[in-house]
Each structure stands twice: as structure tokens, then as C-alpha cells.
Amino acid sequence: MARFTLPRDLYHGKGSLEALKTLEGKKAIICVGGGSMKKFGFLDKAIAYLKEAGMEVETIEGIEPDPSVETVMKGAEAMLKFEPDWIVAMGGGSPIDAAKAMWIKYEYPDVTFEDMCKVFGLPKLRTKAHFCAIPSTSGTATEVTAFSIITDYDKGIKYPIADFEITPDVAIVDPDLAETMPKKLVAHTGMDAITHAIEAYVSTANCNYTDPLALHAIQMIQSDLVKSYNGDMDKRASMHDAQCLAGMAFSNALLGIVHSMAHKTGAIFADHGAHIIHGAANAMYLPKVIAFNAKDETAKKRYGVIADVMGLGGANDDEKVSLLIKYLRGMNDELNIPHCIKNYGADSYPVENGFVPEEVFLERLPEIAKNAIGDACTGSNPRQPSQEEMEKLLKCCYYDTEVDF
């Protein structure tokens, strides 16, 4: 038996933020990030709509990118004090992910962060509050997923919380919010979205319910991402839908080791002055993982289907896999994303010498590989890597060398 879970209601299209007026409750708390929702007037609109619905409203502002365990605990304290029956999270993946984790702690104050990280092990939520998610970026799709990513900065590790209980009750996918994204964010979130769709399609948990969503999302992203990056706002709106479809697919089909590796390399080099931004990490690692996974015949056939849907050509599956890898690398070039960690600058742009020194990478490699294998996303990858294989794969992602094992 398999399960397919999505939000109870999904409002989409321009102006759909107004759906907040339909929520029923007494108190709502809005969780937002660094200020763009306030700057562009969306926070004020949300507050006004919720008040129109008859609710008292408070806010949790300033949730940082790659939210920390400490931020989650502090937000949960504010919720326990205010006692909302609606949690409304607006912005990029970070404030929505943080709010999901706050929700767990609000409903169960005694739960620890370690408890939260037990895969599909959460107790029943919605005893105190329901959850509404409103994305402003076109990539994470956390508004429709059973996942949240929280960073433990003491360990330098991003942990995925995975449970259908944290799938939002309501998602509002309003492209007006996505128009505010800076160009670099369009690139990174877009490559995150195509990684979601590709990993979901080849995942061992794929099914007839997730495959059409994944494939259609891939087609839309192929058509729309680069044009959205170059300022086409119609394509920007289309990408907002495409990333949501990809999220519907991966929330139910799960992901693979591209995400495992991205989770475990994102913050591990922070002591050298920067993070490897999640979407950029996915973009760099995806071609390497495709080459690794394609040694599995079932995965190779599925990558071949993706190449066919994209119209890439190829006389057999081996050729199709090569053309798919070539196409994705070309997308990285068009979006100004590096091909490997060695060339990843502190600002995320390609440079000759990146911010992660070779000796530091090699010193931390065994631990990164071990943590990546233990990540929640590894179990549904079509090919299970050994410690040695994961280390070799990560080296290919550092040096941009060919995957031949």
C-alpha cells in the first residue's frame, strides 16, 4: 500500500493571496523571512485579509535563510504564548520550513529536535492549529510537501524533517509574490525544482500518481526557467506552477542522493565564509548523480523517458542519458551556476578557485559521505552507494570529473 497526500485546498493564479479571507479561526500567526514580503506589501495584505476573516493576528519576522534549530524553538515559544489556531507561513522555503517545525513544537512542547527528525515518526498534528503556506520563490514547493529542512549549526548539518503530518492544510500559489525574486534566486530555485522532478521520477517510490506530475513539471521547467531568469514574467508565473507540480511529485515519490549530498554539504563549510546554496548544490550534483544512477538499468530507462519527454534525441538509453546530462550542464551555464564545488565562489557564481579549499574538502569528505548516506533522501535513490562510492561521487562533484563507477 502506498500513500498520496496533498494540501486539502490549493489556491493558485494571480491574486490568490485573497483566499486568506476564507480561513476560519480566531487567531493567526504569520511567519516571514528577512523583509521582502514586508517591503513589497504582501505581509500587510495578508494581515488585512486575515483580519477581514475575523482573526487576531501576530507575526514572527526575520526568519533567516537555512533556519536554525534555535529559530524553531524561539518561534514555538511565541506560538505557545499567542495560541494561534492558524499558522500562516509566507516567503521562500526557509520561513515555511521553519514554521512547519515550530508547528510541531507548538502542538507538542515536550518534543525534541531529535524526535522531529525521526522519519515519518511524528504524532498527529492539528490538535491546536492548521497550517497555510504561501511561497514567494519557485523551487522548494514546501507549500505542498511533507518535508522541512532545518540546520543544526553546531554540527554544520541540514536535517530533513519528513512526515505527512506537516503537509500544509492550505497552499496559496500566487505568482504575484514570485515576481519579486532576484535573478540569482530564480536560477537556484528553478534548478531545485527540476531536481525534485527528476529525482521523483527515478525514485524507487515513484508511482502512477506521481509520474505525470514529475514529467509535466520537467517539460514546463525546460520551457520556462531560462526565460523566467531573463525577465519574462509570464514564464515566471508558469514556473511558480511548475515547481509546485514537482513538489507534489516528490512529496509522495520521495527524492534521492542529489538532495542527500546537498543537505550534507550546504552548511559544512560555513567556517570558510559561505554556504553552498541548496539549489546551486542540486544543479552541480544532479548531472553526476544521473551518471551514477544510470548504472542501474531501471533508472537508466527512466532517464531515457525524461530525455524523450524533453525531446533531446538519442538512439538508445545510453545516448539519452548522455544528452540529458549535457542539457542540464548547459542549463547551469545559462543560469550562471558553477559545475563543481572547486569552482563555486562565495557569492555562488563560477570562479577559478572557489571558497572551499581542496584540503578542507578532502579532510571532511569521509564524514560528509557518511552523513549523506544516512540522510532521509538516500533510501529511495535507485542505486544505493557504499561509503567508498559516495566519497568518489562527492570527489567528482568537487573536481567536475567523470563518474565511471
Side-chain angles (χ1 to χ4, degrees):
M1 181 176 72
R3 179 174 174 178
F4 186 85
T5 300
L6 295 175
R8 166 72 172 76
D9 292 300
L10 196 156
Y11 298 93
H12 57 97
K14 291 181 81 66
S16 54
L17 185 64
E18 195 172 343
L20 286 172
K21 291 195 294 191
T22 68
L23 302 187
E24 296 179 1
K26 294 178 180 177
K27 292 182 177 182
I29 196 161
I30 304 178
C31 303
V32 292
S36 65
M37 292 298 93
K38 194 173 208 173
K39 176 183 174 184
F40 293 106
F42 294 114
L43 178 58
D44 286 342
K45 275 188 181 179
I47 291 170
Y49 288 144
L50 289 166
K51 285 183 175 177
E52 196 174 331
M55 288 195 242
E56 185 184 343
V57 183
E58 281 196 2
T59 61
I60 296 173
E61 299 182 42
I63 295 170
E64 75 276 26
D66 304 308
S68 66
V69 178
E70 288 74 23
T71 293
V72 168
M73 299 305 167
K74 188 177 173 186
E77 281 178 26
M79 289 180 185
L80 283 162
K81 188 176 177 183
F82 181 58
E83 298 185 332
D85 43 26
W86 274 99
I87 298 165
V88 178
M90 305 179 66
S94 294
I96 299 175
D97 280 4
K100 286 180 174 180
M102 292 171 192
W103 183 24
I104 301 166
K105 184 74 175 173
Y106 168 51
E107 299 239 356
Y108 294 93
D110 294 334
V111 78
T112 65
F113 181 65
E114 289 71 26
D115 293 333
M116 292 185 196
C117 293
K118 292 171 185 170
V119 179
F120 293 97
L122 292 178
K124 274 206 171 296
L125 297 182
R126 298 164 181 83
T127 61
K128 294 181 181 178
H130 287 81
F131 195 99
C132 174
I134 310 166
S136 64
T137 61
S138 302
T140 69
T142 188
E143 73 275 7
V144 293
T145 75
F147 297 94
S148 164
I149 308 299
I150 304 298
T151 303
D152 183 332
Y153 283 92
D154 291 337
K155 296 179 181 176
I157 295 176
K158 295 184 179 183
Y159 287 96
I161 300 170
D163 198 293
F164 287 119
E165 284 297 319
I166 58 170
T167 305
D169 299 287
V170 176
I172 299 175
V173 186
D174 187 335
D176 287 343
L177 280 69
E179 289 184 5
T180 65
M181 279 193 293
K183 201 169 182 179
K184 182 164 76 171
L185 194 56
V186 173
H188 293 161
T189 55
M191 290 308 292
D192 192 19
I194 200 166
T195 305
H196 290 156
I198 291 173
E199 288 210 293
Y201 190 72
V202 300
S203 159
T204 56
N206 73 74
C207 69
N208 290 332
Y209 293 84
T210 59
D211 284 352
L213 294 164
L215 291 175
H216 191 57
I218 290 166
Q219 284 181 304
M220 290 179 73
I221 296 165
Q222 180 188 19
S223 166
D224 300 337
L225 175 54
V226 173
K227 290 173 183 172
S228 170
Y229 176 75
N230 289 321
D232 184 327
M233 288 302 157
D234 288 336
K235 297 299 185 184
R236 184 77 54 89
S238 183
M239 272 299 302
H240 213 42
D241 289 335
Q243 64 86 31
C244 188
L245 295 173
M248 292 179 191
F250 92 76
S251 185
N252 292 280
L254 308 179
L255 292 165
I257 58 172
V258 178
H259 274 77
S260 303
M261 293 156 65
H263 292 155
K264 301 325 182 201
T265 53
I268 196 69
F269 306 110
D271 55 330
H272 286 265
H275 281 206
I276 301 176
I277 296 168
H278 180 71
N282 283 341
M284 293 189 295
Y285 307 162
L286 179 59
K288 304 302 183 192
V289 170
I290 289 173
F292 176 79
N293 284 342
K295 302 293 190 290
D296 175 90
E297 285 301 316
T298 301
K300 186 201 291 187
K301 284 185 173 62
R302 291 204 140 236
Y303 289 129
V305 172
I306 291 171
D308 287 342
V309 163
M310 296 174 73
L312 301 182
N316 55 52
D317 286 332
D318 287 318
E319 287 184 11
K320 290 173 185 178
V321 168
S322 295
L323 288 166
L324 176 59
I325 290 170
K326 182 180 177 183
Y327 186 91
L328 292 168
R329 288 176 64 89
M331 282 184 81
N332 286 352
D333 289 334
E334 291 193 78
L335 299 170
N336 207 16
I337 296 173
H339 290 296
C340 62
I341 299 170
K342 183 172 179 282
N343 300 133
Y344 185 94
D347 59 1
S348 84
Y349 293 124
V351 292
E352 190 173 342
N353 294 302
F355 84 94
V356 181
E358 180 180 27
E359 63 275 12
V360 173
F361 172 79
L362 292 173
E363 179 190 340
R364 299 180 188 180
L365 176 61
E367 188 67 15
I368 295 168
K370 176 187 165 190
N371 289 333
I373 289 170
D375 188 88
C377 294
T378 299
S380 47
N381 195 69
R383 186 180 170 200
Q384 291 298 301
S386 65
Q387 174 75 17
E388 181 187 3
E389 287 169 336
M390 182 59 85
E391 289 187 23
K392 286 168 73 174
L393 188 54
L394 283 159
K395 279 185 179 178
C396 291
C397 292
Y398 184 85
Y399 297 108
D400 191 21
T401 48
E402 191 174 341
V403 177
D404 58 0
F405 53 92

